Amino acid sequence: AGLSGALNHQRLCARSAPARHRLEDHPVRKGVLEAARALLDSGAGANILLYGPPGTGKTEFARSLAADRGKTAWFLGEGDESGVKDRRAALALSVASIDPATEILVVDEAESLLSAGEAVFLGPRNGPSKSWINGFLEAPSRVIVWIVNWTRYMDESVLRRFALPVRFERFGDADRERAWKAVAKDAGLELDAALVKQLALDYEISAG
């Protein structure tokens, strides 16, 4: 492809920013957290799907999950792809070079890889084939966290191949209160409980 130098996940991906929250700070059920931890600790490959509307905390959850297990998260597609036009090639190269003992791969905005050319924004037959998607997901050699906003264009056979699908909802009042408290703590502020409650009611903040 006319590229020089070693081509690996450090060239194709962006190293995650530090996690800002503990895993338990996310509005995810305890059983789901335990399952996610078990998958990362197993040493085997697995596909984890995080899905839900934009701004609901999927990316931050992926950071927290990696940090919780003492691993570095690498985000595919946010680094310098150095002219690699086919994201599938970048994905395959990244998976091959990730160290499963210390790293996990996060594929953000993964709709284009997981939808078999059906989405309007992809156009007809522009996406990968269903057989390619299913084949890639069938026997994972690494833990891969996939993040999408919508699953409506993903085939049922694709969805069945995820070991753990986790849906993220828009924040409720209690979630917003928890977010305000976390932000205040990061800033070294002590906010009155009544003020926190009022802020949560007045501003429909998201995880983002």
Side-chain angles (χ1 to χ4, degrees):
L3 298 170
S4 61
L7 200 58
N8 56 33
H9 67 283
Q10 296 188 20
R11 283 274 303 275
L12 301 169
C13 303
R15 188 186 183 106
S16 172
R20 297 183 62 239
H21 306 289
R22 298 178 308 126
L23 199 58
E24 288 82 4
D25 290 338
H26 296 271
V28 175
R29 296 194 311 275
K30 181 180 179 181
V32 174
L33 299 183
E34 292 174 350
R37 284 170 168 146
L39 286 172
L40 263 68
D41 290 345
S42 69
N47 293 294
I48 298 173
L49 179 67
L50 311 182
Y51 68 102
T56 48
K58 302 181 295 294
T59 299
E60 196 61 40
F61 179 83
R63 291 193 182 107
S64 296
L65 177 60
D68 182 81
R69 307 327 288 163
K71 297 179 185 290
T72 300
W74 290 89
F75 282 75
L76 178 68
E78 295 187 1
D80 176 12
E81 294 196 5
S82 304
V84 177
K85 295 181 180 179
D86 191 336
R87 203 175 182 206
R88 284 173 293 177
L91 173 61
L93 286 165
S94 298
V95 168
S97 64
I98 282 280
D99 180 358
T102 60
E103 301 170 313
I104 64 169
L105 182 64
V106 181
V107 186
D108 207 351
E109 299 180 357
E111 284 90 347
S112 62
L113 285 168
L114 297 174
S115 304
E118 301 297 331
V120 173
F121 60 85
L122 290 173
R125 295 183 298 279
N126 285 345
S129 68
K130 185 167 66 175
S131 62
W132 180 88
I133 300 168
N134 287 342
F136 189 89
L137 295 175
E138 188 68 39
S141 60
R142 305 287 190 271
V143 171
I144 305 177
V145 177
W146 306 78
I147 300 177
V148 300
N149 292 330
W150 318 110
T151 59
R152 66 171 71 104
Y153 297 115
M154 294 169 59
D155 191 86
E156 185 66 31
S157 65
V158 174
L159 291 170
R160 285 199 303 268
R161 283 168 166 79
F162 287 95
L164 180 65
V166 185
R167 176 169 176 79
F168 286 75
E169 304 285 355
R170 296 194 185 280
F171 275 11
D173 292 345
D175 299 322
R176 288 196 291 270
E177 284 187 40
R178 185 163 50 245
W180 277 108
K181 289 176 182 176
V183 170
K185 182 178 178 181
D186 287 347
L189 301 174
E190 291 187 14
L191 299 184
D192 180 77
L195 175 58
V196 171
K197 187 176 291 292
Q198 192 61 49
L199 289 169
L201 290 173
D202 291 346
Y203 299 98
E204 292 189 7
I205 61 170
S206 67

